[in-house]
Amino acid sequence: MQRVSFAAVLRVILTSVYAALSVILQCSVFPHLRLFGVIPELTLCAVVCIACCEDERVSCIIAVCAGFLLDTVGGDRFTLSPFLFLLAAALSIVLSRLVFRKKILPALISGAAALTVGALKTAVILAASGAAFGSALVKTALPQLLYGTVILLPVFLLTALHYRIFRYGRESKLKR
Amino acid sequence: MKFFKSKFFIITLIVAASIAVVFTAMSFLGYSSYIKTALHYVTVPVQKLSDAVGRAIDGYASYITEFDRLKKENEELKEQINGMIDEVQSAQAIRAENDELRRMLEVKEEHLDYKFEIADIVGREDGNYMTVFTLGRGRNNGIDRDMPIISSNSGLIGRITDAGATWSKACSIIEMNSSVGAYVERSRASGIVVGDYELELLGLCRLSYLQSDADVAVGDRVLTSGVGSVYPRGLIIGTVTEVKYDESLRTKYAIVKPYAEISGLNSITVITSYEKYVED
């Protein structure tokens, strides 16, 4: 049986807390920090960035759980986030493992793609609820995409720092 | 990539898709899942805490963005209140509180059949297409699904959409999916107050399905008609700010400004019991 180190378990636990925290922030703090009248997809950004740095299996589980938690806490009638977040994480995994060596580009590309899909989802739901699609696209979906893109880089830097601490700890241990 | 062909990924994908379909369908069929209810017990206390943080941040943010305006206003106010003493200020505060309580009492006296439960708003999940209030009281306090909620000035806010033992969720009347049977107080012209995407952004709603010759004018008060099973008759919805004619449907409609100040609420009143209105 494969031995799992304490540091790896701690890393997964802290990453889960990090994802849960992003959900809580998106639902309670960010509504007070609206730009253009919308709330950014903070959790989606966090999920994408985590998928670039974390193990594939852990990333997928975190993506599904974070999506479910977000829809539950947010009181959303639609529970589409677990599926969309999983797809976003999968895209991030593919880009970071197969296409690019550095982690920042896959995080930004898959993040932008996921945010676009998220914004379109919002526009479609608004249109299905009776709003004009064009109006929903311009007044809500586009600002949502822009705001999400603005916070994507800081979220990536924060996630990278989170993993850097673990890597630094492991390297210094090996040196000793 | 091997991972995407692995059993693990395929199972996770199926689970995620199943969650999306099952929970969305359950939500639309009106069933609140046990898992969601259980999760709320854990998340509501955390939400209370983080919402307090959010409010504090909100206060600081508005302080920075409106600094110039506030500074100017402050100078004007300083001139205005020159000569005023602290007792007068505290007396004003007491009077304001007294007025609010009196308004509540008036509502109670006016509607003897009403039973109230006052609840604090502990969370405000402003989605990009829906705003849900989380209240700190639930079934243990007699609050249940589809109960109407009003503000302290007895203006209709909306209704309870979901309730657990210690929490409940509520939606306002300006939401797109909302509809309330209504009539114009002066002329008795009846219609339905519905949420509208464009108007929701402005904090307004629409009185639709009016007859083409309906007598509606700007300034008219719009009240609940009591038709349907959620809202009692006679609650103030708002005042008409604009009257328009729909060429395609050949009906009139009016833009209504809600009487209750929906955006700045901290607590609301739930009408837990009332006598149903029976049409003659």
Side-chain angles (χ1 to χ4, degrees), chain A residues 36-38 122-123 125-127 129-143, chain B residues 127-130 174-177 194-206:
Chain A
F36 320 116
V38 295
T122 301
I125 290 172
L126 281 172
S129 306
F133 184 74
S135 181
L137 202 66
V138 174
K139 288 183 181 169
T140 308
L142 201 62
Chain B
N128 287 332
Y129 45 83
M130 197 178 179
I174 62 170
E175 294 295 337
M176 271 193 295
N177 296 319
V194 292
D196 181 285
Y197 171 64
E198 301 280 346
L199 296 174
E200 187 187 336
L201 300 173
L202 304 169
L204 305 170
C205 49
R206 174 207 284 250

Side-chain angles (χ1 to χ4, degrees), chain B residues 2 4 9 17 31 40 52 84 97 104 121 123 140 149 153 157 160 162 173 200 228 233 235-236 249:
Chain B
K2 270 186 186 174
F4 294 109
F9 182 73
Y31 299 108
H40 276 297
M84 280 187 175
E97 193 183 341
M104 278 301 303
I121 294 174
N140 289 351
I149 54 172
N153 63 0
I157 297 168
I160 301 290
D162 203 359
I173 51 168
E200 187 187 336
R233 187 177 173 84
L235 289 176
I236 307 165
L249 293 172

Side-chain angles (χ1 to χ4, degrees), chain B residues 213-228:
Chain B
D213 57 347
D215 181 10
V216 186
V218 173
D220 278 348
R221 285 209 311 179
V222 180
L223 310 181
T224 52
S225 65
V227 178

Side-chain angles (χ1 to χ4, degrees), chain B:
Chain B
M1 205 171 160
K2 270 186 186 174
F3 174 70
F4 294 109
K5 290 176 187 167
S6 67
K7 268 186 189 172
F8 174 83
F9 182 73
I10 292 164
I11 290 169
T12 314
L13 197 68
I14 292 167
V15 167
S18 307
I19 287 173
V21 173
V22 172
F23 282 88
T24 305
M26 280 174 81
S27 171
F28 275 90
L29 290 172
Y31 299 108
S32 181
S33 77
Y34 290 111
I35 299 172
K36 279 192 170 187
T37 308
L39 263 174
H40 276 297
Y41 283 106
V42 184
T43 55
V44 165
V46 184
Q47 263 185 290
K48 277 184 188 177
L49 184 74
S50 52
D51 190 63
V53 176
R55 283 184 196 197
I57 291 171
D58 198 20
Y60 279 109
S62 61
Y63 180 78
I64 294 162
T65 53
E66 296 186 22
F67 184 77
D68 288 338
R69 193 184 63 77
L70 287 172
K71 197 176 166 187
K72 195 179 168 189
E73 193 178 316
N74 193 26
E75 281 166 8
E76 287 171 5
L77 283 171
K78 267 183 186 169
E79 284 173 23
Q80 279 181 23
I81 62 167
N82 189 23
M84 280 187 175
I85 50 172
D86 288 345
E87 285 104 75
V88 175
Q89 287 178 335
S90 61
Q92 281 174 339
I94 290 165
R95 205 166 83 182
E97 193 183 341
N98 195 22
D99 283 349
E100 194 169 304
L101 289 170
R102 191 179 294 138
R103 277 201 295 269
M104 278 301 303
L105 193 66
E106 277 170 14
V107 178
K108 278 193 174 182
E109 282 172 355
E110 203 177 322
H111 306 280
L112 291 170
D113 55 318
Y114 286 9
K115 283 185 181 167
F116 298 103
E117 187 66 43
I118 296 170
D120 284 335
I121 294 174
V122 296
R124 194 189 304 263
E125 294 88 41
D126 297 75
N128 287 332
Y129 45 83
M130 197 178 179
T131 298
V132 182
F133 303 110
T134 304
L135 311 178
R137 292 186 166 211
R139 287 205 179 103
N140 289 351
N141 310 97
I143 295 174
D144 213 338
R145 211 181 147 99
D146 282 342
M147 284 181 171
I149 54 172
I150 58 172
S151 63
S152 59
N153 63 0
S154 79
L156 181 67
I157 297 168
R159 67 185 174 92
I160 301 290
T161 55
D162 203 359
T166 55
W167 56 269
S168 49
K169 301 257 177 193
C171 272
S172 74
I173 51 168
I174 62 170
E175 294 295 337
M176 271 193 295
N177 296 319
S178 162
S179 63
V180 186
Y183 71 96
V184 177
E185 190 180 28
R186 183 179 55 81
S187 65
R188 305 275 155 177
S190 61
I192 297 175
V193 171
V194 292
D196 181 285
Y197 171 64
E198 301 280 346
L199 296 174
E200 187 187 336
L201 300 173
L202 304 169
L204 305 170
C205 49
R206 174 207 284 250
L207 174 59
S208 295
Y209 306 111
L210 289 165
Q211 300 275 344
S212 56
D213 57 347
D215 181 10
V216 186
V218 173
D220 278 348
R221 285 209 311 179
V222 180
L223 310 181
T224 52
S225 65
V227 178
S229 57
V230 178
Y231 304 100
R233 187 177 173 84
L235 289 176
I236 307 165
I237 298 173
T239 47
V240 173
T241 57
E242 210 176 339
V243 181
K244 291 182 175 178
Y245 187 75
D246 191 330
E247 291 290 343
S248 57
L249 293 172
R250 293 185 179 174
T251 56
K252 261 186 191 172
Y253 68 91
I255 310 297
V256 177
K257 184 179 190 309
Y259 192 60
E261 196 65 51
I262 292 170
S263 60
L265 291 167
N266 285 323
S267 68
I268 52 102
T269 306
V270 184
I271 301 175
T272 55
S273 163
Y274 66 90
E275 277 176 23
K276 301 273 183 205
Y277 169 69
V278 182
E279 256 184 308
D280 294 331

